[in-house]
Amino acid sequence: MIEAHDLTKRYGDRTAVNGITFTVPPGTVTGFLGPNGAGKSTTMRMVVGLDRPTSGHVQVNGRPYARHRSPLREVGVLLDATAVHPGRTARSHLRTMAATHHIPARRVDEVIEMTGLAGVAHQRVGGFSLGMGQRLGIATAMLGDPRTLILDEPVNGLDPEGVTWVRHLLRSLAEEGRTVFLSSHLMSEMAQTADHIVVIGRGEIITSGPVQEVIDAVQGTAVRVRSPQASDLAALVTAGGATVSSEEAGALEIRGLTPQQIGETAAAAELVLHELTPVRGNLEDAYLSLTRHAVEYRSSPAVSVEEGGNR
Amino acid sequence: MTSLAVSSAPDSLHTDRRIRLGFGGVLRAESIKLLSLRSTWWTLASTVVVMALFALAQAASLQMLAEQSELAGAPGPAMQGAEVVSGGYQFGMLTVAVLGILAITGEYSTGMIRSTLTAVPSRIPVLAAKAVVLSVLTVVVGAVGLVVSYAVTLPMLTRHDLVPALDAPDTWQVFGGMIYFLVTVALFSLGAGTIIQHSSGAITTVLGFLLLLPMILPYITLDWVQELMTCLPVSAATAFLALDDRLALAGDLTPWRGVLVVALYPAATVAAGAVLLHRRDA
């Protein structure tokens, strides 16, 4: 369980995180979604006490992180940037982390086995690929068998097999009743992994809730209709308050009415329907429309001179 | 191979009450950290080698020094055997300083500090444990350096009848004092590294303070500057490292005063480092 209340972080006059309040409940995978620079990593660092909030507070499993007697047993952390000395072997790194909490060596071997690092455990971390580094980070997070996991971009750099593995791992951890909080800017990954999402942009929470609710709230559920009398139907439902779009002749996308309502409207007007399908919006579209105004580092084809001059 | 994720730890991990954060564990973690890096072993080995080589060079110059004082007609300040054997500390302190700095700046430059501080969020125990491990390691390397220096200078010292007597208090004042001084240098550097965070910046600052300042200050002939100079670590240490007052640079500091003055430097940097470590974002 993670509870953040009115959390704010400023660096000089730049506000990285601006008064965000959210809860990550146990037993679910909660995604933290936002474009680069939105404040995801800063928030996660504040949760585990690496960065001190300018104001507000955050608790993990009922206490501020630093107040826990055995932090590694409460919270497993994978941060986005590397947090390992490249001169140490993977096993030495895990041993130093385990030693702080008197975690036995056999647990170190277990997490090495679990994350598929057995073959490289005695190699120095400096030579690791991004994907192996991520596996080591996940192994570190799992050392204390924690009740809560906080993972910043865990699938970054993993091969497809690794991505599937992380997804299964996180799902099974949540099913065991643990709290799983992961950040990503990959919407598709979130859609497959997360139950809930918290969307952040420019340091503020844009929306949060169960994945499908967020999508529906943004887009409304569309209904795809095919009819030889499409234009008649479009006129009817538009009069009824729905919005209609059409990308090909004979096919409509209707928002604002349920499939039942459309079907009944069509029947009442004796119009023929060839298709009546609810279309669920996808997370990617929802995300793009949510964060359209919240992208800090927008990739623009050309930066105007005035804009550059103002900086 | 990895799709068979075994996420749960055996029950013993949940029920074992010994599995918790404690200073003993942090100490163990810090010693594994230091000893699992090749750079540590390189630094330790070069400390011993440098100490032994410098002691050897000093022993070799004994002949020349003896001739010079004979020519001058009066016996000049004479080095005793213990000082010859321990003389390498002036170079050994440099590698020990680097070791102390890297013990903390290595964590900042690699990002390891974030792992460290998530495991030990109260933070200060990390610095304390580093200080303990570093002190023990410095005592060991200082002692090994002395033994090796003793062995390599033995033939030459025998020729001059200067072999340090192992039952003389003076010998142990110098040997013990040298190891003590190296420990203060290691801790001073650890503190400075904690404050500065960057390896190169900290090494430049610490070596500048230890080496350059004593070379520059003599040119500033203000009384208070000269007074201050006798209190710099390297000068103040001669209050207990030089047996003949004429070889000491510590003004009128008594050996015990010297011991105290030398300790002020690590106390200051480690305390300031602890405050900053506690306050700063990692």
Side-chain angles (χ1 to χ4, degrees), chain B residues 8 22 29 80 111 153 203 245 249 254 262:
Chain B
S8 281
Q80 298 191 18
T153 53
I203 290 174
D245 281 349
L249 306 163
T254 62
V262 165

Side-chain angles (χ1 to χ4, degrees), chain A residues 65-77:
Chain A
Y65 180 77
R67 294 272 179 81
H68 282 290
R69 268 218 163 132
S70 301
L72 293 187
R73 298 185 68 173
E74 298 289 337
V75 184
V77 190

Side-chain angles (χ1 to χ4, degrees), chain A residues 39 78 82 138 250:
Chain A
L78 166 72
T82 49
I138 293 167

Side-chain angles (χ1 to χ4, degrees), chain A residues 49-227:
Chain A
L50 288 176
D51 281 13
R52 193 183 294 257
T54 310
S55 66
H57 52 85
V58 57
Q59 297 198 332
V60 198
N61 300 348
R63 282 183 196 186
Y65 180 77
R67 294 272 179 81
H68 282 290
R69 268 218 163 132
S70 301
L72 293 187
R73 298 185 68 173
E74 298 289 337
V75 184
V77 190
L78 166 72
L79 295 167
D80 65 336
T82 49
V84 180
H85 197 300
R88 252 174 228 121
T89 66
R91 192 161 192 283
S92 293
H93 173 74
L94 290 166
R95 277 179 65 225
T96 65
M97 296 296 287
T100 57
H101 283 58
H102 303 281
I103 294 169
R106 80 184 137 75
R107 177 62 182 168
V108 170
D109 295 329
E110 268 170 24
V111 295
I112 287 173
E113 203 62 49
M114 183 200 301
T115 52
L117 286 173
V120 293
H122 291 279
Q123 285 175 25
R124 297 205 287 167
V125 179
F128 276 23
S129 65
L130 189 55
M132 287 198 287
Q134 288 295 74
R135 284 170 186 268
L136 178 59
I138 293 167
T140 312
M142 293 303 300
L143 260 182
D145 197 24
R147 284 199 285 157
T148 296
L149 278 130
I150 297 174
L151 310 166
D152 203 354
E153 307 269 359
V155 300
N156 211 4
L158 287 178
D159 52 20
E161 185 243 9
V163 172
T164 312
W165 168 70
V166 169
R167 198 181 296 152
H168 284 310
L169 176 68
L170 297 185
R171 289 247 53 97
S172 66
L173 289 170
E175 274 155 25
E176 289 167 21
R178 298 179 212 240
T179 307
V180 181
F181 189 41
L182 80 152
S183 78
S184 180
H185 60 271
L186 300 172
M187 300 67 71
S188 49
E189 182 50 42
M190 273 315 178
Q192 296 185 62
T193 314
D195 308 304
H196 286 70
I197 54 172
V198 175
V199 183
I200 187 173
R202 287 199 175 164
E204 290 177 21
I205 292 189
I206 298 173
T207 186
S208 66
V211 173
Q212 199 54 52
E213 261 178 41
V214 169
I215 295 167
D216 292 350
V218 176
Q219 299 199 308
T221 307
V223 182
R224 187 177 167 79
V225 181
R226 276 180 193 277
S227 165

Side-chain angles (χ1 to χ4, degrees), chain B residues 40-74:
Chain B
T40 302
W41 295 101
W42 282 114
T43 316
L44 293 177
S46 46
T47 305
V48 172
V49 169
V50 151
M51 282 178 65
L53 284 180
F54 191 75
L56 200 60
Q58 269 196 326
S61 67
L62 280 175
Q63 186 66 39
M64 201 177 68
L65 286 172
E67 282 165 8
Q68 271 175 355
S69 57
E70 243 170 66
L71 282 175

